[in-house]
């Protein structure tokens, strides 16, 4: 970077601005790539990534990323070109999060659980020039590419691949380990493209910046207590919000990342015990799988494992079971549009005086803003004004800060709808407590209005999850000729548990909530889930209407 002043503001004359412009010595655009360069320089011999028997030090990881950047540049990839990747939680996914931004290009992690048509849409819409594919997903990639008129160049990871593709390891071998790179001239430059898993219409592509990714990495590291002694297990898909930005956060802290291709309780327990795992993240279904793992799949371990969960709040039953098995649960809240976590439910000193049930209720709140988010608020949907912090008045949760997406690629209408008025409108309804913590009561579309009364589906689900036979619960509105609509409960029972009767479940609820909130209909069976483990309530609403 040239050592010349960069004007802070045109015509600045105040003595605290004049002659005090930004320079190469005191201003460098923020980018998460610098975190890896620093890690390699500061503790290069430390293990950065574990994948089975394979180990990568920070020195080796940095070198491989520079080799990959060099090889991609030799094939014409440059500033703001899109490079997509279709892969599991493997070291190459971590490498992609650094090598592609080194070029000023845009990383586009693709959801491996989607159908070929949606993958093809994402590649077309994002304008991918390169597609990196793990051999395990070669079949999916081939079907998606067959639907494209101008498919991207394909790079194959592993032995199996697609005819005519380049081999990933050959590119690494041929690349320059000292490939030069520099931060973007503008830290607002686009870094990453993540497609949301919408329930209707085409996915929307949320765009991240170098600045936002850097700050989110630090916010995650501070909030989750990551350090050089931390061992992070990848139970969360790295394609989901770029792994909630944890590929960058772990490197910022100098932690070790342990790869996991498939979420299986036995493998999770094995890796925790063998590698001394200290941290993991996941959707509520991951916690449920761990909590309900049969005894023969569990392993003893001496360390406390910090477990961050996003999505629906974990039930008190799940939290209790996790604590008994050596896990400490932290509830996070966010979205693809907020680089993953935006708020965290942080323990307060007065929790020590609470009963277990009261503490679990506090732990299920969405909490307060991460240090790197500017603010969170709960606003009246009609007036846009903040609601009272009384834990009662319901409004829409909104977020603001440097870790909110730039917008949706090629979709100004959706961008304006989401970011208008100075806030990101989440669409989640919640309350604001006196201690500043927010608590989701429902998605705006999931509130049940029965006989003029508003019923939180989350509140009913929390009660249902206390039933000893219930593993997962989802509550939606079912049309009713008298009440307008009433709660309909869909329940998935624990493995090996006897299925209770509907009357038994209804009686259980009547003892624990107001009668108008009690489900009038109960359905048993596996719950439909998205590719990221979220329960598909839109499917259940259709089923409820058909009952």
């Amino acid at each position: 970077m040239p050592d010349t002043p960069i004007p802070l503001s045109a015509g600045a004359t105040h003595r605290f601005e004049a002659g005090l412009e930004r320079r190469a010595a005191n201003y460098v655009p923020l980018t998460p790539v610098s975190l890896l360069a620093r890690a390699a320089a500061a503790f290069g011999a430390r293990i950065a990534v574990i994948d089975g028997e394979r180990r990568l030090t920070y020195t080796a990881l940095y070198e491989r990323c520079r080799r990959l950047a060099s090889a991609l540049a030799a094939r014409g990839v440059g500033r703001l070109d899109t490079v997509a990747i279709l892969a599991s939680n493997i070291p190459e996914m971590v490498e992609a999060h650094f090598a592609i931004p080194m070029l000023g290009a845009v990383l586009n992690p693709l959801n491996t659980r989607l159908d070929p048509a949606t993958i093809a849409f994402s590649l077309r819409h994002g304008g991918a020039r390169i597609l990196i594919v793990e051999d395990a997903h070669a079949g999916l990639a081939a079907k998606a590419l067959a639907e494209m008129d101008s498919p991207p160049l394909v790079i194959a990871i592993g032995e199996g691949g697609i005819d005519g593709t380049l081999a990933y390891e050959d590119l690494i071998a041929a690349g320059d380990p000292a490939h030069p790179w520099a931060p973007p001239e503008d830290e607002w430059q686009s870094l990453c493209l993540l497609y949301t898993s919408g329930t209707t219409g085409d996915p929307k592509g949320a765009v991240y910046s170098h600045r936002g990714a850097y700050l989110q990495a630090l916010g995650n590291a501070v909030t989750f207590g990551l350090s050089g002694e931390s061992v992070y297990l990848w139970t969360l898909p790295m394609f989901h919000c770029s792994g909630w930005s944890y590929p960058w956060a772990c490197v910022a802290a100098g932690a070790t990342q342990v790869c996991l291709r498939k979420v299986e309780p036995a493998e999770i327990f094995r890796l925790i015990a063998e590698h001394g795992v200290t941290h993991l993240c996941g959707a509520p279904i991951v916690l449920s799988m761990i909590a309900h793992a049969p005894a023969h799949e569990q392993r003893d371990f001496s360390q406390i494992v910090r477990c961050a969960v996003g999505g629906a709040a974990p039930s008190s039953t799940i939290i209790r079971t996790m604590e008994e098995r050596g896990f400490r649960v932290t509830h996070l809240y966010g979205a693809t549009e907020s680089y993953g976590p935006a708020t965290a439910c942080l323990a307060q000193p007065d929790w020590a005086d609470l009963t277990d049930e009261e503490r679990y209720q506090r732990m299920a709140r969405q909490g307060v803003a991460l240090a790197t988010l500017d603010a969170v608020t709960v606003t009246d949907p009609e007036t846009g004004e903040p609601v009272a912090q009384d834990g009662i008045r319901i409004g829409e949760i909104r977020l603001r800060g440097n870790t909110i997406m730039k917008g949706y690629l090629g979709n100004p209408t959706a961008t304006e709808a989401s970011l208008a008025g100075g806030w990101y409108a989440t669409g989640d309804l919640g309350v604001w407590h006196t201690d500043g913590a927010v608590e989701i009561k429902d998605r705006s579309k999931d509130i049940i209005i029965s006989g003029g009364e508003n019923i939180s589906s989350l509140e009913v689900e929390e009660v249902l999850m206390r039933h000893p036979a219930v593993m997962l619960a989802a509550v939606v509105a079912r049309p009713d000729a008298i009440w307008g609509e009433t709660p309909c409960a869909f329940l998935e029972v624990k493995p090996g548990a006897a299925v209770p009767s509907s009357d038994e479940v209804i009686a259980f609820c009547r003892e624990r909530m107001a009668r108008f909130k009690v489900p009038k209909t109960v359905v048993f069976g596996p719950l439909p889930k998205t590719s990221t483990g979220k329960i598909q309530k839109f499917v259940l609403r259709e089923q409820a209407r058909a009952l």
Side-chain angles (χ1 to χ4, degrees):
M1 181 181 295
D3 190 16
T4 55
I6 304 170
L8 181 63
S9 58
T13 57
H14 193 280
R15 68 190 184 94
F16 277 107
E17 290 188 355
L20 303 176
E21 295 86 359
R22 290 181 288 190
R23 299 171 182 267
N26 59 23
Y27 175 81
V28 178
L30 301 178
T31 175
V33 179
S34 67
L35 302 173
L36 178 56
R38 176 256 179 184
F43 30 78
R46 184 178 297 170
I47 299 298
V49 181
I50 295 174
D51 182 36
E53 298 300 317
R54 186 182 179 194
R55 304 289 186 275
L56 287 177
T57 65
Y58 271 102
T59 295
L61 178 62
Y62 186 39
E63 179 182 301
R64 283 177 60 86
C65 289
R66 295 173 82 177
R67 285 180 178 273
L68 178 57
S70 169
L72 292 175
R75 280 150 184 82
V77 177
R79 182 178 180 273
L80 297 180
D81 287 331
T82 303
V83 178
I85 182 168
L86 187 66
S88 311
N89 288 346
I90 57 178
E92 291 80 1
M93 274 289 274
V94 178
E95 292 167 1
H97 277 80
F98 292 93
I100 294 165
M102 279 182 182
L103 297 173
V106 178
L107 170 66
N108 178 208
L110 297 172
N111 188 331
T112 61
R113 301 165 185 168
L114 295 177
D115 60 278
T118 304
I119 296 292
F121 168 83
S122 300
L123 293 171
R124 283 192 299 266
H125 186 266
R129 291 193 58 176
I130 302 280
L131 171 61
I132 302 173
V133 182
E134 180 189 7
D135 54 2
H137 306 291
L140 172 60
K143 292 177 181 177
L145 295 170
E147 298 190 17
M148 302 182 66
D149 294 329
S150 301
L153 175 67
V154 178
I155 298 172
I157 301 170
E159 298 299 327
I162 303 169
D163 291 342
T165 60
L166 299 173
Y168 185 92
E169 287 303 322
D170 288 347
L171 293 180
I172 294 290
D176 180 3
H179 179 73
W181 66 273
E185 293 183 6
D186 184 352
E187 60 189 17
W188 183 246
Q189 183 174 308
S190 298
L191 164 82
C192 206
L193 172 64
L194 282 306
Y195 284 96
T196 61
S197 54
T199 57
T200 58
D202 291 327
K204 297 190 293 290
V207 179
Y208 294 176
S209 71
H210 284 255
R211 175 181 176 82
Y214 181 95
L215 292 172
Q216 182 72 8
L218 300 187
N220 282 348
V222 170
T223 302
F224 207 21
L226 293 175
S227 72
E229 287 71 48
S230 300
V231 180
Y232 181 90
L233 177 62
W234 274 109
T235 48
L236 172 78
M238 272 190 248
F239 61 67
H240 184 44
C241 309
S242 274
W244 294 357
S245 300
Y246 274 96
W248 303 309
C250 289
V251 169
T256 297
Q257 302 178 58
V258 180
C259 294
L260 177 67
R261 286 166 171 77
K262 186 176 182 181
V263 176
E264 297 174 328
E267 185 68 358
I268 290 173
F269 276 102
R270 183 185 72 80
L271 293 173
I272 288 174
E274 292 186 8
H275 296 300
V277 168
T278 59
H279 294 75
L280 61 85
C281 297
I285 185 63
V286 175
L287 267 67
S288 181
M289 292 172 67
I290 294 173
H292 296 117
H296 71 274
E297 293 185 352
Q298 298 178 36
R299 293 275 293 273
D300 293 332
F301 50 89
S302 58
Q303 75 277 16
I304 295 295
V305 180
R306 295 191 61 175
C307 179
V309 58
S315 69
S316 57
T317 302
I318 294 293
I319 295 175
R320 181 189 299 275
T321 304
M322 293 293 286
E323 288 185 347
E324 291 172 349
R325 295 190 176 176
F327 297 86
R328 183 167 34 153
V329 178
T330 299
H331 189 211
L332 304 176
Y333 166 71
T336 302
E337 291 82 353
S338 62
Y339 294 68
T343 71
C345 188
L346 305 179
Q348 303 297 320
D350 63 342
W351 288 14
D353 300 326
L354 302 176
T355 65
D356 281 351
E357 288 303 320
E358 290 172 332
R359 181 167 60 87
Y360 296 149
Q361 289 177 2
R362 298 285 183 90
M363 290 174 68
R365 293 176 180 175
Q366 281 58 49
V368 297
L370 266 63
T372 44
L373 184 78
D374 179 61
V376 57
T377 187
V378 182
T379 61
D380 186 301
E382 295 183 3
T383 67
E385 295 298 317
V387 302
Q389 292 185 232
D390 56 10
I392 299 173
R393 181 75 178 273
I394 292 179
E396 182 183 30
I397 298 175
R398 296 184 177 181
L399 311 171
R400 181 179 65 201
N402 294 290
T403 53
I404 299 299
M405 66 168 182
K406 297 175 66 172
Y408 297 114
L409 179 66
N411 196 335
T413 301
T415 298
E416 179 63 22
S418 292
L419 303 180
W423 295 87
Y424 163 56
T426 67
D428 290 319
L429 300 180
V431 297
W432 211 353
H433 291 278
T434 56
D435 61 2
V438 298
E439 180 182 5
I440 288 180
K441 289 302 181 181
D442 231 325
R443 290 288 294 177
S444 57
K445 60 189 175 186
D446 291 337
I447 282 285
I448 303 166
I449 305 175
S450 184
E453 298 280 2
N454 287 355
I455 302 172
S456 165
S457 65
L458 299 183
E459 179 184 348
V460 182
E461 288 163 5
E462 162 65 22
V463 172
L464 289 165
M465 290 283 284
R466 297 178 197 166
H467 191 285
V470 174
M471 183 171 71
L472 292 174
V475 175
V476 299
R478 182 189 179 197
D480 186 274
I482 297 176
W483 301 106
E485 53 189 26
T486 56
C488 176
F490 291 85
L491 306 179
E492 188 171 322
V493 300
K494 297 176 182 177
V499 179
S501 67
S502 297
D503 289 343
E504 179 186 338
V505 171
I506 291 172
F508 179 87
C509 291
R510 281 178 176 167
E511 295 176 0
R512 293 164 175 81
M513 66 175 68
R515 293 183 68 87
F516 73 86
K517 299 180 180 180
V518 174
K520 302 298 187 291
T521 311
V522 179
V523 180
F524 297 96
L527 301 184
K529 303 176 186 68
T530 68
S531 57
T532 55
K534 297 178 182 178
I535 296 172
Q536 294 177 307
K537 283 197 170 182
F538 74 98
V539 174
L540 298 179
R541 280 191 285 271
E542 290 295 327
Q543 294 179 11
R545 281 193 285 268
L547 291 174

